[in-house]
Amino acid sequence: MKRRQYTYEQLRKVAKVIYKDNGFCTVIATALCTKISFGKAYQTMQDNGRKHRRGAFLGSCTDAIESLNCSVSDNLEDYSGKTVNQTLKLLPKDKIYLISTNGHVTCVLYGKVQDWLNTNSRKRVRAVYQVTRQF
């Protein structure tokens, strides 16, 4: 499988213009974590239960990431209740993370937030998952 690192803006443009989709935060998080295109991530998420123009549950996202040769593990520390901004300050900058908030999933690649969500967001974190690439 050909792997290339895309940016959030590139993937968002493909989702809006070509796929005419919305509620695609889990698809973009999957694509960014596994270094695949939006189309491949979209198809993998569909195989794991996501419907077009509908959001997906975080469990579907983690299953899709694991099916693409990556492992997803719960982070050891409990970040629930903290804001996104507080969580970003505490996370190590040398790993890949998925941050789950109310109705949204954000990908953090090596300390950089790959999302529309501001880094000083006051949204409360529900869970943080660490993604390890195995390719």
Side-chain angles (χ1 to χ4, degrees):
M1 179 183 304
K2 186 173 139 184
R3 303 213 184 238
R4 177 177 170 233
Q5 190 63 58
Y6 294 92
T7 64
Y8 172 79
E9 290 78 21
Q10 291 170 326
L11 295 172
R12 182 181 176 279
K13 186 176 180 182
V14 169
K16 288 284 191 186
V17 175
I18 296 171
Y19 285 84
K20 298 189 180 6
D21 198 4
N22 56 12
F24 47 78
C25 64
T26 53
V27 180
I28 288 183
T30 301
L32 289 169
C33 289
T34 59
K35 292 177 86 171
I36 60 173
S37 67
F38 184 87
K40 289 179 185 170
Y42 179 84
Q43 186 61 48
T44 306
M45 289 295 295
Q46 241 182 355
D47 294 344
N48 284 286
R50 183 185 182 270
K51 305 245 185 279
H52 182 65
R53 301 193 81 178
R54 303 269 186 183
F57 292 109
L58 184 61
S60 300
C61 183
T62 57
D63 291 344
I65 290 171
E66 287 175 345
S67 72
L68 293 165
N69 295 331
C70 294
S71 63
V72 180
S73 59
D74 288 337
N75 206 359
L76 300 175
E77 285 188 50
D78 184 25
Y79 292 102
S80 61
K82 292 183 171 48
T83 64
V84 173
N85 187 21
Q86 292 170 336
T87 303
L88 288 172
K89 289 178 183 176
L90 296 173
L91 288 175
K93 307 289 185 227
D94 60 342
K95 296 180 180 157
I96 303 169
Y97 295 97
L98 291 176
I99 298 177
S100 172
T101 58
N102 188 19
H104 191 67
V105 176
T106 303
C107 180
V108 179
L109 288 175
Y110 306 111
K112 296 197 181 228
V113 176
Q114 298 291 320
D115 202 21
W116 58 264
L117 194 68
N118 292 332
T119 55
N120 61 354
S121 174
R122 293 191 166 212
K123 285 187 108 174
R124 296 287 173 183
V125 172
R126 290 197 169 183
V128 177
Y129 296 91
Q130 181 179 339
V131 179
T132 307
R133 293 176 177 161
Q134 297 171 348
F135 51 84

